[in-house]
Amino acid sequence: MIKTTLLFFLTALAEIIGCFLPWLWLKKGASVLLLVPAALSLAAFVWLLTLHPAASGRVYAAYGGVYVVTALLWLRWVDGVRLSYTDWLGAAVAFCGMLIIVAGWGKA
C-alpha cells in the first residue's frame, strides 16, 4: 500500500504541475514556453495512472483522495495559503477513503 500511495502522490504532482504552468501563462503573464513542460507533465500524469494494477474506476476513485491531500499541500507550500482545520480534516477523510479503497483491491 505504501508503494501505491507514493505513486498516487507522484501522479498528483504531475497533474497539478501540468495544470499550474498553463495557469501561470494565462493568469500571471509567464512565458508561453511553459506549455511544453506542462504538456510533458500531463503526459506523465496519464502514464502514471496506468501503472496501477486495479481497474481504472477504482484507481481514479482512490487517486481522488490523494489528489485532495496533494492539492492542499500545494496550496500551503507553493501558494503560501494557511490551511484551516476543516482543510486538514477534509484531507484526512479523503486520504482514509483512498486507503479503504486500496485495501479492498485484491478482494473484489
Side-chain angles (χ1 to χ4, degrees):
M1 191 174 302
I2 292 173
K3 179 181 172 186
T4 298
T5 302
L6 292 174
L7 183 57
F8 275 142
F9 275 110
L10 184 60
T11 305
L13 278 175
E15 182 180 9
I16 291 169
I17 291 168
C19 295
F20 183 71
L21 295 178
W23 180 84
L24 287 176
W25 169 59
L26 290 168
K27 297 288 187 175
K28 300 291 184 179
S31 172
V32 70
L33 294 176
L34 287 178
L35 295 180
V36 174
L40 293 172
S41 187
L42 289 174
F45 157 69
V46 172
W47 174 71
L48 289 165
L49 280 176
T50 69
L51 299 180
H52 294 281
S56 62
R58 282 196 182 104
V59 170
Y60 301 149
Y63 166 70
V66 174
Y67 181 85
V68 169
V69 174
T70 308
L72 287 172
L73 292 173
W74 181 277
L75 180 67
R76 177 68 190 115
W77 292 335
V78 175
D79 293 331
V81 175
R82 188 175 182 97
L83 299 179
S84 69
Y85 167 76
T86 55
D87 290 329
W88 289 114
L89 180 60
V93 169
F95 191 75
C96 286
M98 180 278 298
L99 292 173
I100 292 167
I101 292 167
V102 171
W105 279 2
K107 298 172 177 84

